[in-house]
Amino acid sequence: MAYVSYRKHVIQYLDDLIDSLVDNNYFSDLEKAEKYVHSIYDYYINNLHILHKSNATKYLQGELLEKHGHLCKSCTYRINKNTTWCAIYKTDGVRYIIVDVFNNHVVDYNEVKLF
C-alpha cells in the first residue's frame, strides 16, 4: 500500500482554505467547507498511487524547473464542474509526498514550495 503525506505548508494552506471558503461565501457554513477540504485530502490519500500522473514541469519555472522538475509529478482532481485541484508531489514509488496544491482559479502560479 502507498503512503501519502503532505508537507506542513500544504496542510496549513488547506486548513486556512476552510475559513477562506466561508469568509468569501463559497460555503454557507464551516461544516460544508471542512467537508470540501477533507475531500481533497482524502482523494489524494486514497487514489494518488493509482491515478494518471504527469511530469510537473508545466507548473515549475526557472531554477525550480532546473533543480526539481525531473523529480516532481502532478495529478489533478476535478472536485466539481468549476474547480480542478492539482497536487505536485515527489515519489519513490511507495511513498508520495505532496509538496504543493493549487486549483485552476489561481491566475498566476509562479512558485511551487518544494521544501
Side-chain angles (χ1 to χ4, degrees):
M1 182 170 176
Y3 172 78
V4 178
S5 65
Y6 290 80
R7 293 278 187 198
K8 288 180 184 178
H9 67 269
V10 175
I11 294 169
Q12 185 63 53
Y13 169 75
L14 291 172
D15 287 349
D16 292 344
L17 179 62
I18 294 169
D19 292 326
S20 178
L21 291 169
V22 174
D23 293 345
N24 291 301
N25 298 314
Y26 289 103
F27 290 95
S28 58
D29 61 62
L30 195 59
E31 186 177 332
K32 290 178 182 174
E34 287 174 343
K35 184 177 178 181
Y36 177 87
V37 170
H38 287 286
S39 73
I40 297 167
Y41 280 115
D42 293 345
Y43 180 81
Y44 288 115
I45 287 171
N46 295 321
N47 299 300
L48 190 59
H49 64 288
I50 58 174
L51 295 170
H52 173 73
K53 302 136 189 140
S54 59
N55 288 330
T57 54
K58 65 182 174 181
Y59 302 111
L60 303 175
Q61 298 177 7
E63 188 177 323
L64 286 175
L65 176 59
E66 291 176 25
K67 286 186 176 182
H68 306 290
H70 66 286
L71 298 173
C72 292
K73 303 275 186 210
S74 64
C75 186
T76 58
Y77 168 38
R78 187 167 183 181
I79 197 165
N80 60 45
K81 67 179 184 173
N82 297 317
T83 306
T84 300
W85 284 90
C86 182
I88 305 294
Y89 65 94
K90 294 181 178 184
T91 185
D92 63 6
V94 176
R95 293 172 296 205
Y96 296 78
I97 302 170
I98 296 178
V99 297
D100 212 352
V101 295
F102 56 95
N103 66 38
N104 59 298
H105 300 291
V106 176
V107 176
D108 186 20
Y109 189 79
N110 290 318
E111 182 178 339
V112 174
K113 300 173 188 79
L114 295 174
F115 301 100

